[in-house]
């Protein structure tokens, strides 16, 4: 009897950032709401994958949901910079084509991941920044715009004031210096991979500061075998070129995805003095979600359709 070919695999992993200071910093009601938002993002991305859609569409759909939620440091929930404004960064990459798009330091774009996608699809460039990115957005009617203060939220303002008080006292904030970032990685039925990341950056960052999230290879990377989105202290993720290093270990050394992701996040990043996490998926549907902060908002759907969300190491 002829065997039917194995069902095509899909997989989806998302994160809402590794900037979780402690268990006490996430009250139960908040944790429930955050995990519901993660589930909504999983549903949006998975709907694309289950209809035979592409990994890049799934990643985009999941990140838009996270950007729309004020719980995460991206889109609506973006942190404040030192001047009391918001500068948002995003990037995405498709593995099998190595197409990529990115925007840095935008302040009127409601969903920066959609503008990064437009840069990839409707410009000859990979990254546009600041005013040039805003002017490119002016040419794209599908890109929703908002006034810069649309991103103001009381919770983020309190975090800015707290960070500035620590700065005045010349002390590091007790909770660390970053609060989130969103990302997604996906494997579609065609065996193609994609990764994307969107962030408000780091609280109290200097005006003009750009972190790892919009930098292809640092915060986001995908090739034919591996897709990664990072979250953490961006200066260290830039210097360790985290997302590319994970995929390079898989490509050149044949490391398993789990080993590669763990060695970079818990090895290279920590050795440099940084912290954070990453999510990754490979072409076989293996997933990895290492982090070295107290928690990382995360959600996943494996090829066998098992799914979950978690914040801390015990799965809670
Ligand atoms: N990596 C982001 C940045 O440095 C922050 C984060 O992941 O929370 O801009």
């Amino acid at each position: 009897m002829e065997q039917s070919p194995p069902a095509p695999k899909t997989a989806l992993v998302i994160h809402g950032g590794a900037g979780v200071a402690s268990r006490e910093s996430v009250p139960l009601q908040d944790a429930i709401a955050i995990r519901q938002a993660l589930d909504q993002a999983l549903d949006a991305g998975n709907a694309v994958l289950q209809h035979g859609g592409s990994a890049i569409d799934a990643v985009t759909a999941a990140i838009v949901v996270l950007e729309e939620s004020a719980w995460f440091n991206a889109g609506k929930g973006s942190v404040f910079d030192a001047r009391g404004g918001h500068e948002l960064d995003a990037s995405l990459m498709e593995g099998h084509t190595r197409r990529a798009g990115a925007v840095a330091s935008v302040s009127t774009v409601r969903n920066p991941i959609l503008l990064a996608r437009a840069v990839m699809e409707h410009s000859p460039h990979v990254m546009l920044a600041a005013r040039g990115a805003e002017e490119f957005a002016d040419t794209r009617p599908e890109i929703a715009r908002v006034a810069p203060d649309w991103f103001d939220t009381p919770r983020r303002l309190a975090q800015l004031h707290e960070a500035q008080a620590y700065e005045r006292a010349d002390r590091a904030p007790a909770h660390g210096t970053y609060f989130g970032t969103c990302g997604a990685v996906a494997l579609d039925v065609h065996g193609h991979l994609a990764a994307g990341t969107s962030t408000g950056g780091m609280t109290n960052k200097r005006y003009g500061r750009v972190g790892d999230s919009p930098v292809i290879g640092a915060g986001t990377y995908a090739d034919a075998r591996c897709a990664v989105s990072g979250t953490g202290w961006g200066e260290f993720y830039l210097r360790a070129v985290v997302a590319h290093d994970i995929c390079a270990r898989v490509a050149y050394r044949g490391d398993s995805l789990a080993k590669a992701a763990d060695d970079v996040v818990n090895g290279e990043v920590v050795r440099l003095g940084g912290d954070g996490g990453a999510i990754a998926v490979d072409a076989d549907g293996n997933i990895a979600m290492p982090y070295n902060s107290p928690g990382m908002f995360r959600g996943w759907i494996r090829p066998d359709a098992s799914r979950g969300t978690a914040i801390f190491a015990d799965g809670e």
Side-chain angles (χ1 to χ4, degrees):
M1 211 174 79
E2 247 183 62
Q3 286 216 315
S4 53
K9 293 177 184 175
T10 65
L12 177 65
V13 190
I14 60 173
H15 70 75
V20 180
S22 62
R23 203 172 277 271
E24 301 71 53
S25 70
V26 190
L28 185 62
Q29 284 314 311
D30 291 5
I32 291 168
I34 288 164
R35 291 176 70 173
Q36 273 171 356
L38 290 168
D39 263 321
Q40 284 165 6
L42 282 176
D43 287 342
N46 195 42
V48 174
L49 295 174
Q50 296 316 311
H51 287 94
S54 66
I56 194 88
D57 279 345
V59 161
T60 308
I63 293 177
V64 165
V65 172
L66 298 169
E67 287 179 335
E68 288 292 311
S69 166
W71 285 111
F72 308 107
N73 171 23
K76 179 65 186 163
S78 288
V79 297
F80 283 86
D81 66 18
R83 300 199 318 182
H86 307 273
E87 291 190 297
L88 283 54
D89 306 325
S91 66
L92 78 187
M93 185 165 190
E94 185 173 62
H96 67 297
T97 59
R98 304 264 197 117
R99 294 192 306 162
V103 293
S105 298
V106 294
S107 54
T108 70
V109 177
R110 180 170 173 145
N111 298 108
I113 198 71
L114 295 179
L115 189 59
R117 179 85 188 250
V119 171
M120 178 176 102
E121 287 178 339
H122 303 294
S123 90
H125 306 300
V126 168
M127 183 189 268
L128 292 174
R131 226 175 62 207
E134 301 276 352
E135 286 182 17
F136 175 69
D138 295 344
T139 71
R140 303 299 316 170
E142 78 277 17
I143 300 297
R145 308 297 283 280
V146 291
D149 65 3
W150 184 80
F151 299 105
D152 292 1
T153 57
R155 196 164 63 103
R156 297 303 187 200
L157 191 60
Q159 289 169 343
L160 175 68
H161 291 154
E162 195 192 344
Q164 291 180 332
Y166 275 104
E167 191 178 52
R168 280 193 297 276
D170 205 17
R171 282 173 44 213
H175 48 62
T177 47
Y178 59 89
F179 285 101
T181 290
C182 296
V185 295
L187 166 69
D188 66 28
V189 289
H190 313 288
H192 297 153
L193 297 166
T197 310
S198 180
T199 190
M202 288 172 67
T203 298
N204 200 28
K205 66 185 178 181
R206 192 184 178 99
Y207 173 62
R209 177 266 189 188
V210 177
D212 60 308
S213 305
V215 176
I216 297 301
T220 300
Y221 189 75
D223 62 23
R225 296 185 186 86
C226 161
V228 176
S229 167
T231 165
W233 193 341
E235 279 66 16
F236 293 92
Y237 274 58
L238 280 164
R239 290 159 59 201
V241 203
V242 165
H244 182 263
D245 192 12
I246 293 172
C247 290
R249 287 163 190 254
V250 172
Y252 306 155
R253 240 177 27 185
D255 283 1
S256 70
L257 186 79
K259 177 171 167 43
D262 189 58
D263 284 353
V264 174
V265 169
N266 291 313
E268 300 299 328
V269 171
V270 173
R271 260 194 294 283
L272 287 177
D275 58 356
I279 54 171
V281 64
D282 71 15
D284 296 322
N286 297 305
I287 67 172
M289 304 177 284
Y291 60 93
N292 52 55
S293 53
M296 179 167 81
F297 301 129
R298 58 199 192 278
W300 63 91
I301 303 179
R302 295 179 195 272
D304 65 4
S306 63
R307 67 183 274 172
T309 61
I311 301 174
F312 299 102
D314 59 5
E316 281 306 303

